[in-house]
Amino acid sequence: MDLILVAVIALGAIGLIAAVVLYVASKKFAVFEDPRIGQVAAVLPQANCGGCGYPGCSGFAGACVKAADAGSLEGKLCPVGGAPVMEKVAAILGLEAVASDPKVAVVRCNGSCENRPRVVQYDGAVSCRVAHATCGGETLCSFGCLGCGDCVKACQFGAIKMNPETGLPEVDADKCTACGACAKACPRGIIEIRLKGRVVKDNARRVWVSCVNKDKGALANKACAAACIGCGKCQKVCKKDAITIENNLAYIDPAKCIACGLCYNECPKKAIHASFTVPAPKPKPAPAEGAAAPAQQAAPKAAPAAEQQQQ
C-alpha cells in the first residue's frame, strides 16, 4: 500500500513539474498573431491558389497586414476575389483599396493540328511534364503546346479547356481569375498572365503574339505554318513602340499596346492574335486619272522647241 502511495505521489509531482515547465515555456516562447490576420483571412475566397504570390490565403492575409503597417497595400491583389475583396481587406486595415488592372491568361501557341502536323506518336503518360522530359512532343516544334492538358487539371475555376479540333487549350476570359496556376503547370511556358487590355465599349481588347518558337525563320516555318518568323513587319508598323524582336520572336508589351490592330493586319504568318474583331486595313487611294494626263499633254508642246534648236 505504501509503494502505491509513493508511486502516485511521484507521478503527481512529475506531472506538476512538467505542467509548470510547459506553462513557462508557452509564455516565454509565445508567438503573437495579429488579430487582423484572421479578419483579413475571413474575407478572402480561401482558394489557396497561390496566384497572389503567397503560400495560400493565410500567407496573403499576413502579407496584407504587414503592408498595412507600412502604410500601403500597393502591389497586393487577390486574383480570385479581385477588386471587391481588396476593398474589404482595405476597410479592415483602415486603408484605401489600390486599383489594379485586371489580368487574364492567354495561350501563346497557335500550333493546331492543321498548322503543326504530327511526325511521331507519343504513347506515354498523359502529362505535359512527362512528355516534355521524355520525347519532346509529337511535332517538330520543341516550343509549342504538348496537348496533354496539365493546364486544364491545374485550373480550379473551370476557365480553361482543351479544344478537341485544334488540340490546344482555350481560356474563358469571363471565368479566368488570373491566378497563374495554368501558367505554372505548363512546362513550356506557353501560357502568360497578361493585362486584359484597353477597354472599348465594355470589352477588353488585347493583342498578343501566339507563338513562343525561338528558332530562326526557316526552322520555325517548317515546324509550324503559323509560327512567328521574326520578320519585324509588326514592329515597323507599331506606333507605340510596343513590339520588340528578341531571339527571332516578336513580343507585344501589354502596358504599351493600345490594341489598334495594325500589327495584326501586317503579320504575314497570322501569328498575332486579338480578342476582338480587327477591322481590315483601308485600301490605299488610287492615283487620280487626270494626274497623268497633263504630263502627257505637256510633252508635245516641248517638242517644237527642241526641233527649232536642232534647226
Side-chain angles (χ1 to χ4, degrees):
M1 188 66 181
D2 293 339
L3 292 175
I4 295 175
L5 183 60
V6 170
V8 170
I9 294 173
L11 289 174
I14 293 172
L16 180 61
I17 295 172
V20 172
V21 171
L22 290 174
Y23 176 77
V24 173
S26 66
K27 293 297 182 181
K28 183 175 180 60
F29 300 106
V31 178
F32 171 76
E33 182 175 296
D34 195 316
R36 295 176 297 173
I37 295 178
Q39 296 173 6
V40 171
V43 301
L44 296 177
Q46 299 302 320
N48 295 315
C49 60
C52 58
Y54 297 92
C57 291
S58 59
F60 179 66
C64 287
V65 171
K66 186 176 180 180
D69 292 339
S72 175
L73 286 175
E74 186 175 359
K76 299 294 183 290
L77 173 67
C78 173
V80 178
V85 167
M86 291 310 299
E87 289 176 1
K88 295 179 181 178
V89 171
I92 293 172
L93 300 176
L95 297 172
E96 292 184 1
V98 179
S100 58
D101 296 326
K103 296 182 179 181
V104 68
V106 297
V107 179
R108 295 189 58 198
C109 179
N110 195 29
S112 62
C113 301
E114 181 181 358
N115 293 331
R116 190 177 48 150
R118 270 52 178 168
V119 294
V120 297
Q121 182 177 356
Y122 173 68
D123 193 21
V126 185
S127 168
C128 294
R129 291 194 177 277
V130 175
H132 177 66
T134 54
C135 76
E138 297 180 327
T139 70
L140 293 175
C141 180
S142 59
F143 297 89
C145 177
L146 291 161
C148 294
D150 285 14
C151 51
V152 178
K153 299 172 186 175
C155 182
Q156 301 181 35
F157 309 99
I160 188 168
K161 63 179 181 180
M162 297 299 296
N163 186 322
E165 296 182 1
T166 64
L168 296 172
E170 294 180 349
V171 177
D172 187 338
D174 295 330
K175 294 181 179 180
C176 181
T177 62
C179 67
C182 55
K184 294 177 183 177
C186 180
R188 291 190 168 178
I190 69 164
I191 300 179
E192 180 186 2
I193 306 300
R194 293 172 65 90
L195 295 173
K196 275 196 171 182
R198 186 167 66 96
V199 179
V200 179
K201 296 182 180 180
D202 297 330
N203 292 323
R205 294 186 173 185
R206 54 191 174 277
V207 182
W208 70 96
V209 178
S210 189
C211 182
V212 293
N213 194 327
K214 297 180 181 178
D215 287 333
K216 291 185 177 180
L219 292 176
N221 190 52
K222 183 179 180 181
C224 179
C228 174
I229 56 176
C231 63
K233 289 186 176 181
C234 55
Q235 186 182 35
K236 293 178 182 178
V237 298
C238 182
K239 299 179 180 180
K240 298 297 181 180
D241 295 328
I243 302 178
T244 55
I245 308 292
E246 186 176 355
N247 295 325
N248 310 305
L249 181 65
Y251 180 78
I252 301 175
D253 187 345
K256 296 180 179 179
C257 178
I258 61 171
C260 63
L262 291 176
C263 58
Y264 176 88
N265 288 321
E266 189 70 17
C267 180
K269 300 293 293 180
K270 300 303 178 185
I272 296 179
H273 278 212
S275 64
F276 60 100
T277 301
V278 180
K282 295 181 180 180
K284 295 181 180 180
E289 295 182 357
Q296 294 176 355
Q297 294 175 359
K301 293 180 180 180
E307 292 176 359
Q308 291 176 0
Q309 290 179 0
Q310 290 177 357
Q311 295 174 356

